[in-house]
Amino acid sequence: MRLDEVTLEGEYVRLEPLALGHKEELCDAIRDGELWNLWVTLVPHPDNIDGFFDFANSSYETGFGLTFATIDKKS
């Protein structure tokens, strides 16, 4: 069963289904804080981001999940 793509929006944040159009800004955010080095979360290194997108797409296609990009509406 495929999930419906939805966008969720509040006053400060918008959650959009992850798409390749988010790739560059996502990599910028990851690099900004070297997030792949944090032990409290699992964030891929920007050099390995394609695998992350592949997994997100596969999860959506099989009905396992829908990955969102988190957008700060003020920036």
Side-chain angles (χ1 to χ4, degrees), residues 9 17 32 34 47 53 56 58-60 67 72-73:
E9 191 162 354
D32 183 49
E34 294 188 0
D47 293 344
F53 274 85
S58 163
S59 294
Y60 174 70
T67 304
D72 178 353
K73 291 173 61 171

Side-chain angles (χ1 to χ4, degrees), residues 5-18:
E5 287 189 351
V6 296
T7 297
L8 306 172
E9 191 162 354
E11 184 175 348
Y12 303 106
V13 174
R14 182 176 61 252
L15 301 178
E16 300 175 359
L18 186 68

